Amino acid sequence: MSQALAMDESERADSIRLIRESAAAVAPRGGDLRRIRALRFEEPGFDPAVWREMADLGWVGLRVPEEKGGAGLGMGAFCALAEELGAALVPEPLIPAALAAALLAADPAGEAALGQVLGGRLLLAGWQERADTLEAPGSLDAPRLFVPMAAGAEGFLVPVREGGRLTLRLLPREAADLAIDQTQDGGNYGTLRAAPDFTGGKLVAADLGGALDAALDEAALATSAYLLGAMEAAFAMTLAYLKTRQQFGRPIGSFQALQHRAADLKVQLSLTRASVEGAAAQLDAGLTGAARRAVVSRAKARAAEASMLVTRQAVQLHGGIGYTDEYDVGLYLRKAMVLANQFGSARLHRKRFMALSPEAVEE
């Protein structure tokens, strides 16, 4: 390894370590979840003051180039941050906001709105026209579905196909025909209904090119990291319970059958971490094209399936108390149920991985 490359790796490791440490200001590992519980099933579903603090810390622009006002850090740092937020079940919509920032950074016309987003104004992208897809056709008259935490948005960024190009239009909240539905974890999704179409919004990007595809892949990978953090926290809570819950005069964690189940879950966590961190490192190393999309899909498919397995098993290993809403372990399952399909389900990403990288299936 050359000295320059070793220095780059050292700098990358330092940035990841520092971002994990900064996350403790908002999402301390092992903290109680009273704040999370208080925000559930209430609009907007997150704390605007905490959201502004996250913006002040520079998290929204973590991936935005420095010359555009961001931090210019890599996916390794962004995934490390998302993992810490997942461990604390932070509801503030950082990943969707970072997606919006990436789209605005793609065109000089979006600079004014980008500055507002980096400063804490919540603009969210409404790109999805049908369930379980990463495609954004940009139809003029199709509703935009599943906008995360839309109840707190100040405006919406809507990709629209115009003149053969995918443009981006900013639709203010007051001009949007918006429907809000609650989600299993206590948050919400929004549906933007076209009335009659989205061309009334301000044009903030004349041609997104491949920026939307790249940003959606990064959002999918960051969501994988969030799920990794959530399942690790649920697993840690479960191990602590197995070590303290007594039955027949000894901790239930001493029972071999439960040890085997816990070991299986640990394997799932290790494989997911390797997949997520490996994908982030490859993106930071400059991976492009089909190979880039393939490693993202591998990570998202694994994180989606593993998070559901680990959090379900965590609830079961707690016995009857795990099924009560008052006990925190169930909150992790609820979060996994919502995020496992966000930015593509395991099924979608497995299919995409097989199409992009058929030789990997043989490994």
Side-chain angles (χ1 to χ4, degrees):
M1 181 182 295
S2 70
Q3 185 176 356
L5 182 57
M7 187 175 296
D8 288 344
E9 286 298 319
S10 176
E11 291 175 353
R12 183 174 184 272
D14 284 343
S15 68
I16 291 174
R17 176 181 57 79
L18 290 171
I19 203 69
R20 287 188 187 277
E21 291 175 358
S22 74
V26 173
R29 283 254 179 178
D32 68 64
L33 299 178
R34 284 179 294 180
R35 183 180 84 88
I36 309 307
R37 287 186 172 279
L39 294 168
R40 291 196 307 160
F41 305 113
E42 301 287 340
E43 291 192 4
F46 61 90
D47 186 339
V50 172
W51 173 248
R52 288 191 294 272
E53 181 182 359
M54 294 169 71
D56 290 342
L57 287 166
W59 292 354
V60 181
L62 209 65
R63 293 284 295 136
V64 174
E66 291 183 75
E67 62 269 21
K68 292 183 177 290
L73 296 181
M75 276 305 296
F78 192 33
C79 286
L81 176 59
E83 182 189 333
E84 297 301 316
L85 299 184
L89 295 181
V90 170
E92 283 72 27
L94 177 65
I95 296 172
L99 167 64
L103 298 183
L104 291 169
D107 194 297
E111 287 184 3
L114 173 61
Q116 294 176 334
V117 169
L118 297 181
R121 186 183 181 200
L122 185 58
L123 303 179
L124 298 175
W127 57 273
Q128 194 170 356
E129 296 181 27
R130 60 182 176 83
D132 200 16
T133 181
L134 283 179
E135 297 176 358
S139 306
L140 282 171
D141 55 355
R144 302 302 196 263
L145 312 175
F146 309 116
V147 183
M149 290 301 190
E154 299 177 54
F156 301 95
L157 297 167
V158 184
V160 179
R161 185 72 59 180
E162 302 178 75
R165 297 176 298 179
L166 192 63
T167 67
L168 188 68
R169 291 187 172 271
L170 173 56
L171 187 68
R173 171 66 179 262
E174 58 271 16
D177 185 2
L178 178 67
I180 299 294
D181 294 298
Q182 290 184 332
T183 52
Q184 182 68 240
D185 64 341
N188 56 79
Y189 278 139
T191 299
L192 290 171
R193 297 171 290 209
D197 59 45
F198 293 109
T199 57
K202 178 183 177 182
L203 185 68
V204 291
D207 187 0
L208 285 176
L212 180 56
D213 291 339
L216 288 173
D217 279 342
E218 292 191 1
L221 184 54
T223 302
S224 304
Y226 188 107
L227 287 168
L228 172 61
M231 67 175 105
E232 283 202 324
F235 181 67
M237 186 181 298
T238 303
L239 284 185
Y241 180 79
L242 294 177
K243 291 175 181 178
T244 56
R245 176 73 167 89
Q246 297 274 330
Q247 196 171 51
F248 306 117
R250 57 184 176 137
I252 62 174
S254 64
F255 302 153
Q256 193 173 59
L258 298 186
Q259 290 177 354
H260 288 169
R261 290 176 66 179
D264 288 342
L265 299 183
K266 181 63 176 177
V267 169
Q268 291 296 323
L269 287 168
S270 298
L271 291 173
T272 304
R273 176 170 294 283
S275 189
V276 171
E277 291 185 349
Q282 288 180 279
L283 264 60
D284 288 344
L287 193 67
T288 60
R292 184 182 194 269
R293 297 192 295 275
V295 298
V296 169
S297 283
R298 182 177 60 193
K300 183 58 167 65
R302 176 162 290 283
E305 291 191 330
S307 63
M308 289 302 299
L309 173 64
V310 171
T311 55
R312 280 174 172 162
Q313 288 289 313
V315 169
Q316 291 178 13
L317 287 168
H318 275 82
I321 193 174
Y323 288 87
T324 64
D325 188 64
E326 292 79 7
Y327 197 78
D328 285 346
V329 73
L331 298 180
Y332 291 95
L333 173 58
R334 287 175 177 268
K335 182 65 72 175
M337 291 171 69
V338 173
L339 292 190
N341 290 336
Q342 199 168 97
F343 300 111
S345 67
R347 177 180 179 276
L348 180 146
H349 281 286
R350 279 199 309 272
K351 183 178 180 180
R352 192 175 79 150
F353 177 77
M354 292 173 69
L356 293 170
S357 186
E359 69 279 4
V361 180
E362 300 173 3
E363 295 181 358

